[in-house]
Structure formats: C-alpha cells, structure tokens
Amino acid sequence: MIRPQRLDRVRAALATLFPADVAIAVCDLAAADPATLWPAERAAIAGAVPHRLAEFAAGRAAARAALSALGHAPAALPMGPDRAPVWPHGVAGSIAHAAGVAIAVARHGAPLGVDVEADAPLPPDLWPVITTPAERAALPEGDTGSLIARVFVGKEALFKAQAPGARAMFGFDAVSLTLAKTGFDAKFLTKAGAFRTGDILHGRLAVADGLILAGVAR
C-alpha cells in the first residue's frame, strides 16, 4: 500500500497541471478492487492478468472520483474501439497509471490528456523511437535519458487530449516537442485527426515522489 502522504503529494502535483475547472483524482493500485468494476468494464478487461486488472480497476476508481467531484453520479466507463475510456456525455477526461498509482482528470468542456510514468532515464535505444535528432539537439542541459522520459510523458498526454469523435492514431514522429521550464510546447508536423499541420499545443509537467506527470488541457 502507498502511504497517504505520497498520494497527497502526487495529487498536489497533478493539480498544478490543470485549470481550476478540472477535477483530479489519485488512487493506489494496491487498494484497487476489481470486484467494483461495472459489468461493461469487466467485459472490456476479461481474461486480463491480475496486475492489469488492478491497473484497470484503480483507473476506473480514480475516474469515478473525478466524476463525483464534477457532480456526476457513478457511471460505467467502458472501453471504446480505440481502447480509450468512454466518458459520460459532455465530459472530457483522461486516465493514466504507473508505478503503483492511477490518476484521472475530468471536466465539462474541451479534451484533456494526462500521463504518468516513473521518473527514470529511458535507455538510449528508445531515444530515436521517441524523438527526432532535432528534438534531441534542442533538449536543455541534463541527463538525456531523463529528459527524453519527460518528452515521452508529454507526447503520451498530448495523444490522449483528443475528442472522442475525432481521435486518430499517430506516432511520436507526428509531433515535435520542446521542453520548457515547467512544461512543453508541441508542434504537429503532420495532420492527425482534428490536429492540423502546424498546430501548437502547450502542456505542463511536474515531478513528484519518483513520478513524472504531464497534462494537456486544450
């Protein structure tokens, strides 16, 4: 089990990534109970191994907590054809989990994206998968593997910040991401779903208790 103080610190860091109208929630994977999943959710995760079940249950628990903060009654969040959660009508949201925690954000309004990963350097063989030579050349001074981990989390959050009716699959090379002091700027190099070539989105980053968190609020 994760100590409540750690969850509080992660929750506080997550809150810095989004405007005040965004509801946030953090759950401990070890406390997740797959028995609390709704039937439509259990159908989406049938046959999963126990760890994946715990991740899924914790993510849905966090999502329902965020919905509750918005004033919504508990509801199922099944998995859509693209494997993204299906939120209630009029709600934009995003879920992520890593390193023992699940996080969720939700609001009434434009799409949101969130991601979380362990704050650990990525190995060199992954650098060219996630970044272009130009992106690597533009990185600030520091440990390259750790900085590219931040780029990775930012691109994952950006991918999730898509409206349900306009979601598109795109690779890391579709976006050029530049790290800033507390966040990042992302420029689309090609059309992807509702995003057009040249579109620029801004995101925020935070580090808390061994985790990197990224948020995009369009």
Side-chain angles (χ1 to χ4, degrees):
M1 296 284 288
I2 294 176
R3 292 181 179 180
Q5 297 91 333
R6 185 191 184 207
L7 293 179
D8 288 343
R9 288 190 291 268
V10 174
R11 191 177 294 109
L14 183 61
T16 68
L17 305 181
F18 295 97
D21 66 329
V22 175
I24 65 168
V26 180
C27 288
D28 180 358
L29 256 66
D33 182 3
T36 63
L37 291 171
W38 291 47
E41 296 167 343
R42 286 197 294 271
I45 202 71
V49 298
H51 181 69
R52 174 59 182 142
L53 276 172
E55 289 179 334
F56 193 88
R60 264 41 184 190
R64 273 187 275 277
L67 285 174
S68 177
L70 290 179
H72 281 261
L77 290 101
M79 188 184 293
D82 58 358
R83 302 186 64 79
V86 179
W87 294 81
H89 179 71
V91 175
S94 183
I95 301 171
H97 41 71
V101 300
I103 61 177
V105 296
R107 73 173 173 191
H108 299 113
L112 295 167
V114 73
D115 197 48
V116 58
E117 300 291 342
D119 185 12
L122 292 180
D125 61 308
L126 292 180
W127 299 357
V129 176
I130 296 164
T131 59
T132 64
E135 286 177 300
R136 293 194 293 278
L139 290 173
E141 291 187 5
D143 179 75
T144 301
S146 295
L147 293 169
I148 292 179
R150 285 151 175 74
V151 173
F152 172 75
V153 177
K155 289 189 177 185
E156 287 289 305
L158 183 69
F159 175 80
K160 295 179 183 180
Q162 300 187 72
R167 294 183 66 87
M169 299 298 295
F170 57 84
F172 294 116
D173 58 351
V175 179
S176 176
L177 191 146
T178 304
L179 294 176
K181 187 172 182 180
T182 59
F184 57 88
D185 299 317
K187 181 178 181 180
F188 275 82
L189 305 178
T190 185
K191 186 180 185 305
F195 298 118
R196 298 169 299 177
T197 302
D199 280 353
I200 296 176
L201 273 73
H202 308 285
R204 297 186 66 82
L205 291 166
V207 177
D209 272 73
L211 298 172
I212 309 169
L213 301 121
V216 175
R218 292 171 55 192

